Amino acid sequence: MLKNIVLAGFMGTGKSEVARELSRLLGMRVFDIDREIETSQQKSISEIFSCYGEDYFRQIETAAILKFSSEQGVIISTGGGAVLREENLKALQAHGIIFCLTASSETILLRTAGNKDRPLLQCVDRQARITELLTARQPLYEKAGIMIDTEGKTPFEIANEIIRIIP
Ligand code: S3P
């Protein structure tokens, strides 16, 4: 069975860009969980958070992950919080190999600057928020899959690093 390539990792680590690069290099289809949620809900991620709250978002995120994890031979780009639920990881791991993209909090701060569609980062002190969330989630990312450092690398270089690892 052809395994899925799953990209996980914190906001701003470049999952969507790397997914597109992998798709170009390998000719595999990409499912971006956040984009699939936005299409099915007809709302942006920020609108979903503000209208229904984070718990509701996590529920539909799990439903989308369960749906797309059953595909074969595709690339799945997840949202940064996908690692929060064990059932998400179990489903993704069942048919796929998970790569967790990493970057320093300074790089994440730079890469997420100016992006208004990250409700968890809409606060006064974004640096503190990023550090707080990263610290809490770091053990979850480490447990979820193979860590890939993205610091100073292009999406093309990161995609090739992943391609060299996949069996
Ligand atoms: C989230 C990350 C976002 C999106 C939502 C929540 C998180 O995805 O799913 O805003 O909890 O880290 P990206 O990692 O693609 O920004």
Side-chain angles (χ1 to χ4, degrees):
M1 194 183 85
L2 202 49
K3 285 221 161 198
N4 297 328
I5 300 176
V6 179
L7 298 178
F10 203 78
M11 293 171 266
T13 52
K15 298 170 298 248
S16 302
E17 294 85 346
V18 172
R20 274 196 291 277
E21 200 60 48
L22 281 168
S23 170
R24 194 177 66 81
L25 293 167
L26 299 172
M28 287 163 73
R29 190 160 174 204
V30 181
F31 292 105
D32 189 308
I33 298 295
D34 281 350
R35 301 293 84 78
E36 296 293 339
I37 290 173
E38 289 181 327
T39 305
S40 72
Q41 299 285 309
Q42 299 277 294
K43 281 188 167 54
S44 70
I45 298 297
S46 287
E47 285 167 344
I48 298 169
F49 267 71
S50 64
C51 293
Y52 311 117
E54 182 172 349
D55 284 354
Y56 176 79
F57 172 77
R58 296 298 171 204
Q59 279 174 43
I60 52 175
E61 181 180 43
T62 295
I65 288 173
L66 296 189
K67 177 176 169 195
F68 292 106
S69 317
S70 61
E71 296 281 339
Q72 283 177 27
V74 300
I75 297 160
I76 302 175
S77 178
T78 62
V83 294
L84 295 171
R85 288 189 174 192
E86 185 71 30
E87 61 181 319
N88 295 345
L89 293 177
K90 282 218 176 92
L92 290 163
Q93 280 158 346
H95 296 155
I97 169 161
I98 303 182
F99 293 91
C100 276
L101 306 190
T102 67
S104 67
S105 59
E106 292 76 19
T107 298
I108 288 167
L109 185 69
L110 282 175
R111 287 195 196 149
T112 56
N115 185 311
K116 296 263 178 292
D117 201 29
R118 290 206 165 96
L120 294 180
L121 300 183
Q122 298 306 311
C123 58
V124 179
D125 192 348
R126 278 198 314 121
Q127 174 77 80
R129 184 90 177 109
I130 289 168
T131 306
E132 176 200 335
L133 284 172
L134 254 185
T135 308
R137 290 179 180 180
Q138 188 64 19
L140 302 175
Y141 291 129
E142 280 170 16
K143 233 180 74 185
I146 301 167
M147 305 289 272
I148 303 282
D149 182 12
T150 66
E151 210 66 51
K153 297 175 192 163
T154 64
F156 177 73
E157 288 168 332
I158 302 161
N160 275 299
E161 199 171 321
I162 290 173
I163 290 170
R164 281 196 294 274
I165 297 173
I166 47 181

